[in-house]
Amino acid sequence: MKLLRIILVMLLVLMLVVAGGVTFLLFGVDPNTYKPELEKLARQNDLELKIDGDLSWSFFPNLAVQAGSSSLTATKEDTGIPDIKFREASLILDWRALLTRTVRLQAITLDGADIRTKTAAEAANVAALPGAAAATSDTQTGDLPFVLAIDEIALTDSRITVTSPDAPDRIFEQLNFTSTKLNLDGKPFAINLEFTTALPDQPTLQVALQSFVAVEASPQKLTLSDARLSVKGLDKLPLTLKFNADYEGDTDSLSVTDITGKLGSASITGAVNGAGLQTTPALQGELSLQNLILAELPMETPEGFKKVGISSTFAVSEKTVALSNLKLALDEFNATGNMTMQLQGTRQLAMKIEGNHLVLPATSETESTEQQAALLTPLLAPLALLEGGKGEVELSLASLTADNIRVDNLLLKLLANGKVVQVSELSGGIFGGTFKTTARADLGRATPTVNFTQNVAAIDLHKALVTLAEQGDIHGKLTMNFTGSSAGDNSDALLDNMNGNGDFSFSELQVDNINVEKSYCEMASLVEGRTLTGRTWPNHTTLQDMQGTIKWQDQQITLPGFTTGIGNMLVSGNGSAHLGRETYDMLIKANLRGDTTSETGCTIKSKSIQNRDIPFRCTGSFAENGGGSCLPDKQFINQLIQGKVQDLLKEKLFDKYLKQPSTATEEPSAIEEPSAVEEPSADKEPSADKESSTNKEPSADEEPSADKEPTDPKKQLIDEVLKGIFQ
């Protein structure tokens, strides 16, 4: 106990001695006397240091000189030193050196610093501040030597502003930075950096970096080991990275290796090498982002897809952007490709993408259009960067399925030259056939113009109609060639201004649930007054190959003429459809060549039907809830009925009661049966009505004729009857 008491007394005496010595220094040495030394040291490094506030001593928690509001600026241009202002600075001294009457600056703390950089070199120097602070410098003033050997540096509640004449200022706020055991001997020391910043139209980001740093003065080298970077602020997409980095000051080159981390649910790997960072920056390397959940992205994404992955080798410079060995995964879809863009002079783009089977989820018509646009955006986005240059894009897919429509071997070749965009080929297989489209759009005119060609071959009509119209009664193959042009700056205007013409053909045509030959024979049997019996008809119609032409002008699609056949019947027709009024009008004619419709059909005896065009008119609307009909032409039916009524009336009525004598001297033969209206008389003179009928005066519309034959009273009466019927 006695020994312990002695030790405590000795420690108390030592503390009093130290306290006494420090008290002498605090009251015997004015820290403002070191202002000239600090300003001199700054001038030796081409800096202007201005200390507006007073310097004062601080004893707790460290022996330090407190400096009020101050500023630091470069005295020469292009020195790479940014402008620095701070609210308060604490210059921590080595108290043991001070006891030997040597002022040794051991640590610096800046509070409320405002650092403004104007060049990349200045920004780089700010990043290298810990290494610069580790340098040792000696000077002598009055009786006390001054030693600058900073072991620690800290920034609290500070801000860094990176300015650029061509872009908005980038501001890093709430910046806190600490580093300990600073040295230039290549020995690692720890740093800790935190700040907040905001991207345009994005939420504020919180950034944190922890790493071990090694700095070598000669050769100039900065190494980050076991670096850990985190970025928070993007909803569902926090970023964490681990990496190692080396910067060679002599060659101005950077190497970032062993990159691993997470972006939301996605994993990140890669490596990056850079050169000429302060002169002509160029980066190259490889990056991989896998299994990114699309729902985590803060943007509209195609519905129905869950995750995406992308990896690529890249090279970026002021002259060129190149992506090679590009791999894209979208759920089960995989694609590979490459892209190169020349940035200097006339910009040039070359991009090629090859993929396997892409299936778009089923959506509504509006959502499908938006989804297709979202998927095409990454493909066409590089074209927007051409700025009037030249570009070539090629996309090929093993298949593309959208809304139950599958396109096999899809190929798109797109060329751009200035404001002219050309689709040199858009082709593929669809509905059992093939299609090929070419187009040229001139976007430089006040009203953009488009010219195009469309070719389809051997399209299966049954597959197409079942998929597109949920109607499967028609079978056959379609082949069509069409050339057109239009003008407009939106889809509605392009459709309204469409003009073009082409030709089409159908083969192996069959229409289910209707037998046109049977209907034709039934109509003929009615005309001939007989009944079809003992015959079984198939529940479909087989047509011969059909050919025709098509014309599209002023929202009206016209079929000037088409031909086909059913057995021995030749079928032809024409028609039109008006897109604006959403109506159609078709005239179809059937002509029986011979007296039988086909080998298995019926026999037609009526000469009024054989070798005569029998027209059918189809009219209606293809608008929503629109209707239509397809009936024999009214004019033809009127003529046909009129002829039959005439024959019937002549046979049953007029030939019996209105027979005229063949000659003037002919004696009446058999006395006709009396009518219900008038009793017959042998000596009765012809009535005035009959005489006037026989000697009818010419109408006002007719020219008199001396040799005109008298009108047949039977025919005249029939005409009057028919007029009454059909009115």
Side-chain angles (χ1 to χ4, degrees), residues 477-521:
K477 304 289 186 181
L478 167 65
T479 296
M480 183 178 68
N481 302 298
F482 188 84
T483 301
S485 63
S486 186
D489 54 6
N490 57 65
S491 58
D492 292 336
L494 290 173
L495 187 62
D496 292 343
N497 299 322
M498 185 76 67
N499 293 287
N501 56 76
D503 58 77
F504 64 88
S505 65
F506 294 93
S507 61
E508 304 175 20
L509 270 175
Q510 177 180 303
V511 181
D512 294 338
N513 299 319
I514 185 173
N515 192 304
V516 176
E517 185 178 7
K518 175 186 176 183
S519 300
Y520 188 93
C521 290

Side-chain angles (χ1 to χ4, degrees), residues 43 45-48 73-81 122:
R43 285 193 297 271
N45 290 275
D46 298 324
L47 298 174
E48 181 67 29
T73 58
T75 58
K76 295 182 179 180
E77 294 184 359
D78 301 327
T79 59
I81 303 300
E122 292 180 1

Side-chain angles (χ1 to χ4, degrees), residues 405-410 426-436 454-464 476-480:
I405 301 174
R406 178 183 172 112
V407 179
D408 293 307
N409 301 318
L410 176 66
L426 173 60
S427 62
I430 187 171
F431 300 131
T434 61
F435 73 93
K436 182 178 180 181
Q454 176 72 65
N455 309 100
V456 297
I459 298 296
D460 190 313
L461 291 175
H462 179 73
K463 292 181 179 179
K477 304 289 186 181
L478 167 65
T479 296
M480 183 178 68

Side-chain angles (χ1 to χ4, degrees), residues 242-257:
K242 296 180 181 180
F243 59 91
N244 297 313
D246 291 292
Y247 174 74
E248 300 284 349
D250 294 342
T251 59
D252 193 21
S253 61
L254 173 69
S255 175
V256 183
T257 59

Side-chain angles (χ1 to χ4, degrees), residues 668 671-675 678-686:
I671 302 298
E672 297 179 354
E673 293 293 331
S675 67
E678 182 181 8
E679 292 293 330
S681 175
D683 57 352
K684 186 177 180 180
E685 294 293 328

